[in-house]
Amino acid sequence: MAVQTARWLAVAGLLMSASVHAAPGPYTKLGDEVVALVRTRFHDAQKGAAWADAHQGYAADVKDAEDFARRTNAALAELKVSHTTYYPKQSPGHAAVSSIFQGFLKPKKVEATGIGADVMETPDGFFVRHVFVEGPAAKAGLLRGDRLLTVEGQPFHPWRAFANRAGRATRLTVERTKGAEPLSLTVTPRSMDPRKEWLAYQKASSRVVEHQGRRVAYQHLYSCAGEDHQQLLEETLQDAFADAEALVVDFRDGWGGCSPAFVNLFNPQVPTMVSTGRDGKTQTLSMAWHKPVVLLVNGNSRSGKEVVAFALKRHRLATLVGQRTAGAVMAGGPQKLSNGDLLYLAVMDGTVDGERLEGVGVPVDVEVPDALPYAVGVDPQKARALDVAASLVKG
């Protein structure tokens, strides 16, 4: 009897073991896709293969989509390289990357529902970094530094907060001063193609302010991906900013993508043409800005923005204010997974004028620490950039 029992237990054990291995979790296949792409597409073949060997089957016991995203990005972080992130379909980053790479990914439609604000996650919660001018958040009275607490009574979540809320008045509670009673705001989210929203924000952010007795122009390029952003700045320089005495270009946060040709907007070697008609009146056409420039950057200024920052600093075409840039200058490419999620992967390494910026970044000329939590709308980096720009104007 004891022998039979032992045999029965042994067989049962084998069956249990077999059932565990025969029934992989629902995310196993997706994890295998990530591993295969890193093995075959990552810029460093040897490092990619070693990572893939170490992480084969990593998603076998994943519980849900959020658990998979957390584990995948934690594993990818071990590669210690930029432009390497997993974006689930529900995430804002998925819509952003899909919008930037529309020509390559060819999605039928790209839309994201949001309130026109850039939000940063910290150990103390989610804080608003930028409020897009004329966006829903601005109209609702949201300020830089507000801590987002709840949306419709539920804790703020970067994926789910405004899902299915486009066009609907939505209750939002924020903590504006640490420890103070939460404020209740009403915001109406909207659905937009991210690139169109960034371009609209860039245009709306344009302004010329009287600062320390000088006329200083300001424009924020949240994204630099595609020709539209460079073209809009060029048109604004020749039109609305033509009479300004100095310029602040804000490259903080958002997305990179700037073309190296962006530098020509400030290249003094681009000729200035003056035309005179028979009536003696003259017209001046200058394709480049020849007045003082301040470039505002921080630790989230990345990719093509860093290439431009490096060139402007090296050739003394601008004064850099803020904080050292991200050091995220790999060439990345989006890879679509079978379920529609995206793996953004570093596929090429590179240098800029012989120097490696990846992991290094571009140092600034004027260091200004950031002060985000509970800022009550105050932006010390922007204020200092305006100060520097005004001081560079010659009497």
Side-chain angles (χ1 to χ4, degrees):
M1 182 69 177
V3 172
Q4 290 179 335
T5 301
R7 287 176 177 173
W8 181 86
L9 290 172
V11 171
L14 287 172
L15 289 175
M16 289 174 64
S17 175
S19 66
V20 169
H21 293 290
Y27 290 91
T28 300
K29 180 177 181 293
L30 204 60
D32 290 345
E33 290 182 41
V34 172
V35 169
L37 285 168
V38 172
R39 187 187 298 277
T40 58
R41 299 296 306 276
F42 189 64
H43 80 98
D44 185 327
Q46 185 176 356
K47 189 174 182 179
W51 183 94
D53 290 341
H55 292 84
Q56 191 67 50
Y58 79 94
D61 61 343
V62 163
K63 300 175 182 178
D64 52 35
E66 290 193 40
D67 186 30
F68 181 77
R70 179 185 59 78
R71 294 198 197 191
T72 301
N73 279 319
L76 292 171
E78 296 174 18
L79 291 167
K80 299 184 186 304
V81 69
S82 69
H83 293 77
T84 301
T85 305
Y86 162 74
Y87 294 110
K89 290 190 296 293
Q90 308 95 319
S91 67
H94 186 284
V97 172
S98 297
S99 184
I100 291 170
F101 290 96
Q102 285 187 56
F104 173 71
L105 294 172
K106 300 188 185 310
K108 292 181 179 179
K109 187 177 183 180
V110 181
E111 275 193 349
T113 300
I115 60 173
D118 177 45
V119 178
M120 178 179 181
E121 183 177 7
T122 78
D124 296 320
F126 295 91
F127 290 87
V128 176
R129 286 195 64 84
H130 301 283
V131 178
F132 293 178
V133 180
E134 297 180 3
K139 294 175 182 177
L142 206 66
L143 297 180
R144 167 185 157 82
D146 284 350
R147 181 186 174 203
L148 300 175
L149 300 178
T150 68
V151 177
E152 286 295 306
Q154 298 299 314
F156 177 82
H157 188 281
W159 296 5
R160 299 190 296 265
F162 304 108
N164 303 316
R165 301 295 305 179
R168 300 167 62 188
T170 301
R171 291 180 293 110
L172 176 68
T173 62
V174 304
E175 185 181 38
R176 182 153 294 169
T177 304
K178 188 173 183 179
E181 188 73 17
L183 297 175
S184 180
L185 304 175
T186 300
V187 64
T188 303
R190 66 184 180 189
S191 291
M192 285 189 67
D193 182 320
R195 285 184 65 181
K196 293 180 180 178
E197 180 173 50
W198 301 333
L199 198 64
Y201 168 51
Q202 178 182 335
K203 185 175 183 179
S205 75
S206 300
R207 60 195 65 246
V208 177
V209 298
E210 293 288 341
H211 193 77
Q212 297 182 357
R214 301 298 183 184
R215 290 175 55 78
V216 181
Y218 169 88
Q219 189 172 98
H220 188 180
L221 278 78
Y222 185 77
S223 172
C224 206
E227 298 177 357
D228 291 343
H229 297 280
Q230 178 179 333
Q231 183 178 343
L232 176 58
L233 177 58
E234 181 178 347
E235 292 172 354
T236 311
L237 292 177
Q238 297 174 23
D239 185 10
F241 291 174
D243 295 330
E245 299 172 276
L247 170 70
V248 175
V249 177
D250 194 341
F251 264 7
R252 292 177 298 170
D253 306 304
W255 299 84
C258 301
S259 164
F262 192 98
V263 177
N264 278 331
L265 294 179
F266 313 102
N267 183 357
Q269 295 184 350
V270 173
T272 298
M273 297 179 60
V274 178
S275 303
T276 304
R278 61 186 293 166
D279 58 2
K281 295 182 179 180
T282 62
Q283 291 183 335
T284 300
L285 177 62
S286 177
M287 303 302 292
W289 179 269
H290 297 283
K291 305 167 191 177
V293 179
V294 168
L295 190 64
L296 185 52
V297 296
N298 66 4
N300 293 317
S301 303
R302 53 195 296 112
S303 193
K305 288 181 176 177
E306 295 186 84
V307 175
V308 172
F310 174 83
L312 293 180
K313 181 179 175 68
R314 165 170 279 196
H315 298 290
R316 299 181 180 180
L317 299 176
T319 300
L320 271 59
V321 174
Q323 294 169 303
R324 182 185 290 267
T325 63
V329 198
M330 301 293 287
Q335 319 291 322
K336 184 178 286 189
L337 304 182
S338 59
N339 71 337
D341 292 354
L342 293 176
L343 175 64
Y344 197 29
L345 194 62
V347 294
M348 286 190 290
D349 196 355
T351 60
V352 182
D353 285 344
E355 291 197 27
R356 183 173 175 78
L357 299 183
E358 176 73 17
V360 178
V362 182
V364 295
D365 301 300
V366 181
E367 182 83 22
V368 184
D370 194 11
L372 178 63
Y374 311 109
V376 197
V378 176
D379 188 344
Q381 292 179 333
K382 180 179 176 181
R384 185 69 176 122
L386 293 171
D387 289 344
V388 172
S391 71
L392 293 173
V393 179
K394 296 180 180 179

